[in-house]
Amino acid sequence: MTTTHAIRFDQHGGPEVLQWREQELADPGPGQVLLRQEAIGLNFIDVYHRTGLYPQPLPGSLGGEAAGVIEAVGPGVEGFAVGDRVGYCTGAPGAYAQRRVVPVAPLIKLPDDIAFEVAAASLLKGLTAYYLLHRTRALKAGDVALFHAAAGGVGLIAGQMARSLGATLIGTAGSAAKCALALENGYAHAIDYVQDDFVTRVKDLTAGRGVPVVYDSIGRDTWERSLACLQPFGLMVSFGNASGAVPPIKLTDLAAAGSLYVTRPTLGTHMADPVVKQQMADALFALIRSGQVKIHINQRYPLAEAAQAHRDLEARKTIGSTVLLP
């Protein structure tokens, strides 16, 4: 048995439900490892789990992204050994912990030149940006797209990734400072949605045509206006619900707007094949190593102060990536 501390909650609700508790861990079983976590990623999906938008059994735990060192391996584990540096960004919640027992299936091997904080800040966000721009709607040189939350963790990586592809991204953000940050990170245009109507600005920037694809993690507040930004046969990529769940879709609205397409992809689906998972991670590490993608870790919180990190995240006070440190 191993003693550790972790964030737990007994009921869904606001950040105040999060509690710092001591807990006992059993030894790793077949196909499992004991991981000492060095850095943990903060992501909006953690809020969905805490509030119950994405329900899970109670008492609950949070977090799907972390990086650390394997301290023990269970029976039958192959390909991983004590001392290996690994990270993960899929699987059951529970990353908000100093140590945890995890199955090897979601683990990704980390190169020695990728720091733990960088891995914890980039695996979920970077691989999300990768599957959006490379696999869901593969952008190429000359393509134009709209990307909401351009100054967020996924958004800043997506902007740099699009620039490396030669594609043009139009971003939206909630302040002049965030728009400036987006422009510094690969966006060709940045729209302050507090000051400007982004539909009008997108149409102005595209000579009235609109864009062939919108990447939207905001959800309810931007849904209808995002559809209005699409040109005929355009693709709406909904990959988050930061403002709340998307309202029910009427297929006739998609027809009337120009035979539009809608998809709701997930990272887990794209990484279900372990070979593809490591290939995607290696491609992300190569972009980081080359300097084409820089990971902006702008907030660090002690893990025990996860509630404050959630408050700041929901208030949209955070910029770029945030890590929790055990």
Side-chain angles (χ1 to χ4, degrees):
M1 299 288 286
T2 300
T3 300
T4 190
H5 282 81
I7 294 290
R8 304 281 290 174
F9 60 102
D10 295 321
Q11 61 185 16
H12 295 115
E16 70 279 357
V17 303
L18 302 181
Q19 300 179 17
W20 180 242
R21 293 180 182 169
E22 184 176 282
Q23 64 181 36
E24 296 292 328
L25 295 177
D27 294 335
Q32 296 179 326
V33 301
L34 172 63
L35 185 63
R36 184 184 77 245
Q37 306 203 130
E38 299 291 343
I40 298 153
L42 177 71
N43 299 287
F44 221 96
I45 193 172
D46 304 345
V47 173
Y48 302 157
H49 286 141
R50 190 203 74 222
T51 62
L53 179 62
Y54 293 172
Q56 61 167 320
L58 295 174
S61 55
L62 294 179
E65 178 183 37
V69 178
I70 294 176
E71 290 192 322
V73 298
V77 169
E78 297 180 357
F80 294 93
V82 172
D84 281 355
R85 304 173 75 253
V86 297
Y88 60 89
C89 60
T90 56
Y96 284 25
Q98 294 171 322
R99 285 175 170 81
R100 71 180 298 207
V101 174
V102 296
V104 297
L107 295 182
I108 294 167
K109 289 194 173 183
L110 301 180
D112 290 340
D113 59 352
I114 300 295
F116 291 121
E117 286 193 14
V118 170
S122 67
L123 282 175
L124 183 61
K125 301 171 187 67
L127 292 173
T128 296
Y130 187 89
Y131 87 72
L132 290 172
L133 272 59
H134 285 264
R135 294 169 61 88
T136 304
R137 171 63 159 79
L139 297 184
K140 60 184 184 301
D143 283 346
V144 181
L146 175 65
F147 204 105
H148 289 300
V154 176
L156 292 179
I157 296 173
Q160 297 174 77
M161 201 172 285
R163 180 170 57 192
S164 74
L165 294 168
T168 297
L169 275 196
I170 302 169
T172 69
S175 70
K178 288 185 176 182
C179 285
L181 183 62
L183 293 173
E184 293 171 4
N185 284 271
Y187 286 83
H189 309 279
I191 302 167
D192 182 348
Y193 62 76
V194 176
Q195 301 295 327
D196 295 315
D197 175 60
F198 69 77
V199 178
T200 300
R201 291 281 289 119
V202 167
K203 291 298 180 67
D204 289 344
L205 291 168
T206 59
R209 292 187 299 274
V211 293
V213 58
V214 175
Y215 299 100
D216 190 335
S217 62
I218 304 301
R220 180 183 60 207
D221 290 353
T222 53
W223 175 256
E224 291 187 2
R225 289 180 295 159
S226 289
L227 290 175
C229 291
L230 286 167
Q231 57 187 231
F233 308 109
L235 174 63
M236 175 69 170
V237 182
S238 175
F239 68 101
N241 307 287
S243 66
V246 170
I249 302 168
K250 292 180 8 181
L251 296 183
T252 51
D253 289 345
L254 301 181
S259 301
L260 302 181
Y261 296 86
V262 173
T263 185
R264 182 58 169 90
T266 68
L267 178 60
T269 308
H270 282 272
M271 293 179 57
D273 183 323
V275 174
V276 173
K277 173 188 66 179
Q278 191 66 49
Q279 288 174 344
M280 290 173 60
D282 289 342
L284 173 64
F285 297 149
L287 287 169
I288 295 171
R289 187 178 296 114
S290 71
Q292 294 181 82
V293 168
K294 292 181 171 60
I295 305 303
H296 299 277
I297 305 173
N298 294 315
Q299 297 83 211
R300 293 172 173 83
Y301 299 82
L303 177 57
E305 298 177 12
Q308 186 58 50
H310 275 231
R311 292 186 188 96
D312 292 346
L313 179 65
E314 290 182 274
R316 301 190 183 182
K317 293 181 179 179
T318 62
I319 296 176
S321 296
T322 302
V323 293
L324 306 174
L325 301 177

